[in-house]
Amino acid sequence: MSERRSSESGFPIKGVYTPADLPGDLDSRLGAPGEFPYTRGVYPTMYTSRPWTMRQYAGFGTATESNARYHQLLRAGTMGLSVAFDLPTQMGYDSDDPIAHGEVGKVGVAIDSIEDMRLLFDGIPLDKVSTSMTINAPGSVLLLLYQLVAEENGVPGSALNGTIQNDILKEYIARGTYIFPPKPSLRLVADTFGYCRTEVPKWNTISISGYHMAEAGASPVQEISFTLANGVEYVRAAIAAGLAVDDFAPRLSFFFVARTTLLEEVAKFRAARRIWARLMRDEFGAKNPKSMMLRFHTQTAGVQLTAQQPEVNLVRVAVQGLGAVLGGTQSLHTNSFDEAIALPTEKAARLALRTQQVLAYETDLTATVDPFAGSYVVEAMTEEIETAADALMARVFEHGSAVDAIEVGFQKREIEQSAYRIAQEIDSGERVVVGLNRFAIDAEEPYEPLRVDPSIEAAQAERLAKLRAERDSAAVQRALVELRETASGTGNVLHPMKAALRERATVGEVCGALREVWGRYQPTDRF
């Protein structure tokens, strides 16, 4: 007898699917590609006219080092840049702050001021590339620095394309790189929506992320349920701030993981599109079709990579990337095979990009739209995931809102239970991880990881000291006073924030001014 299999979300996978497993109203659930409810994709032609955007997440050490990596990736054929920032930058601290000691430049690039941002994008045509910045609590600060550098190079905000993650709610659930309490954080997100509508109109103002929840252990159903519930919260916050839904919703985007469980991942992406389209139309009264389209970036599952036999990760990443493409992603980052060990080497990053290029140019994936449409198994899974996700979202909203659920630890607790179950399955061998708990080898081949120069922290501190000595300190202080005054009232904080950054205020100083007004978030122990 064959072993009974269950999906990552917990429902059984049948050995054989038949027409009896298809939903009775399949035609209305599918629609046509590019039409409501967008199950088959958000654009009529999808990849038949152009492939997805190939992004590679990169950034480490100094801005100069990261700039060199970006030029390498662009020469290798990547179509979009994706910036990784170090932890001090993510938390709104300068590199010379005592709390930043030991973390400068380690998991991403250190950006302290407009001078670092100039170096980061030196020689890169910002009107021709699409840039994604994985930054949340200080996302608006990094966007403004990017805009200022573009303006210095004659590129207006209207010509900029890209995304800031700017998804603070998932930080309280899964990652922890928050600064302010939830309510002022939501205000900052809404202010970014309003600012970009007029100043940077092509920019995707938020990438509502399920990826990090999945990395923390969320199942596919939990991933899309909690992500879409957070999306609802952002829409409500923007409407409460006086924005009309069709004025900002077309610029919303999402960020999901792609696991090795290919069929369920394809179904997950299709179900998420359908749920979001229905929410935007029925709950928020969106009229613009673009407001109902769930456009998303995908990253292959870093949590599924292993340090043991790391070359096997090349196979995992190819399968995960295949699932993302079959699921209809708009852009894709494929992880490097060595990321379970250290920051990726140049060769590993190039191989990750080549994986996408093989999918795009050597397969027939771009020849037709949504090739799994009508598949007995995928359509049945799509319906099961949609039903389960709707039920879990209802449990979130029983608390009042996503923020209310966050404050009592609901999402965090649910994800931790899922993560514990996965760990038990791996430890027992029920869940096979090739090279780890099955098909292991006695000795691993030597591997030389990319290492970050420990002198970066001192160099950044020297740059900051020089900046503070040379700038107009009085002008900086006046700008920071105006920022604090605006934050105390109801105005849009991005305008005085941009003025302060133009005067060469640092990221830490700008975030510090907001901390003085809004305070810091202190999680309770009732989780």
Side-chain angles (χ1 to χ4, degrees), residues 197-269:
R197 184 191 168 205
T198 56
E199 302 295 325
V200 199
K202 295 179 183 177
W203 198 266
N204 296 313
T205 49
I206 193 168
S207 178
I208 307 164
S209 175
Y211 180 87
H212 301 95
M213 289 186 268
E215 292 284 283
S219 70
V221 164
Q222 289 174 333
E223 178 192 354
I224 64 170
S225 299
F226 297 152
T227 303
L228 299 185
N230 286 349
V232 167
E233 192 77 6
Y234 292 125
V235 173
R236 288 175 177 169
I239 291 173
L243 299 175
V245 65
D246 286 325
D247 285 342
F248 66 87
R251 304 315 307 171
L252 302 179
S253 65
F254 291 80
F255 175 25
F256 295 118
V257 77
R259 301 170 180 81
T260 52
T261 44
L262 186 147
L263 296 177
E264 186 177 7
E265 292 298 285
V266 172
K268 176 194 76 178
F269 296 132

Side-chain angles (χ1 to χ4, degrees), residues 61-109:
T62 66
T64 300
E65 289 175 299
S66 294
N67 175 264
R69 175 64 62 86
Y70 296 155
H71 281 285
Q72 290 165 358
L73 289 170
L74 290 170
R75 287 194 297 270
T78 191
M79 299 182 292
L81 300 176
S82 188
V83 185
F85 297 94
D86 71 356
L87 280 175
T89 305
Q90 292 181 47
M91 298 292 289
Y93 292 107
D94 290 332
S95 295
D96 60 354
D97 193 297
I99 202 171
H101 179 61
E103 294 295 338
V104 176
K106 282 202 170 172
V107 298
V109 62

Side-chain angles (χ1 to χ4, degrees), residues 86-142:
D86 71 356
L87 280 175
T89 305
Q90 292 181 47
M91 298 292 289
Y93 292 107
D94 290 332
S95 295
D96 60 354
D97 193 297
I99 202 171
H101 179 61
E103 294 295 338
V104 176
K106 282 202 170 172
V107 298
V109 62
I111 298 294
D112 292 318
S113 71
I114 190 171
E115 295 189 355
D116 289 328
M117 191 65 86
R118 287 173 184 145
L119 290 173
L120 186 64
F121 289 101
D122 183 44
I124 293 174
L126 299 186
D127 55 342
K128 294 182 173 61
V129 301
S130 172
T131 301
S132 174
M133 292 188 277
T134 304
I135 193 76
N136 294 283
S140 54
V141 181
L142 276 297

Side-chain angles (χ1 to χ4, degrees), residues 277-297:
R278 189 179 67 246
L279 281 168
M280 294 304 293
R281 184 191 68 178
D282 298 345
E283 182 169 341
F284 295 108
K287 304 297 183 188
N288 185 345
K290 291 184 178 180
S291 298
M292 306 175 210
M293 295 178 184
L294 184 143
R295 296 170 301 110
F296 64 93
H297 169 69

Side-chain angles (χ1 to χ4, degrees), residues 169 171-174 182 213 222 226 392 395-396 399 401-418 521-527:
L169 292 182
E171 296 297 323
Y172 304 112
I173 296 171
M213 289 186 268
Q222 289 174 333
F226 297 152
L392 186 53
R395 291 178 62 198
V396 172
H399 293 86
S401 69
V403 168
D404 293 326
I406 286 168
E407 290 180 340
V408 298
F410 173 72
Q411 298 98 318
K412 187 172 185 288
R413 189 165 53 248
E414 292 288 309
I415 291 171
E416 286 172 349
Q417 290 172 357
S418 175
Y521 179 65
Q522 300 292 336
T524 65
D525 58 5
R526 57 184 166 173
F527 287 16

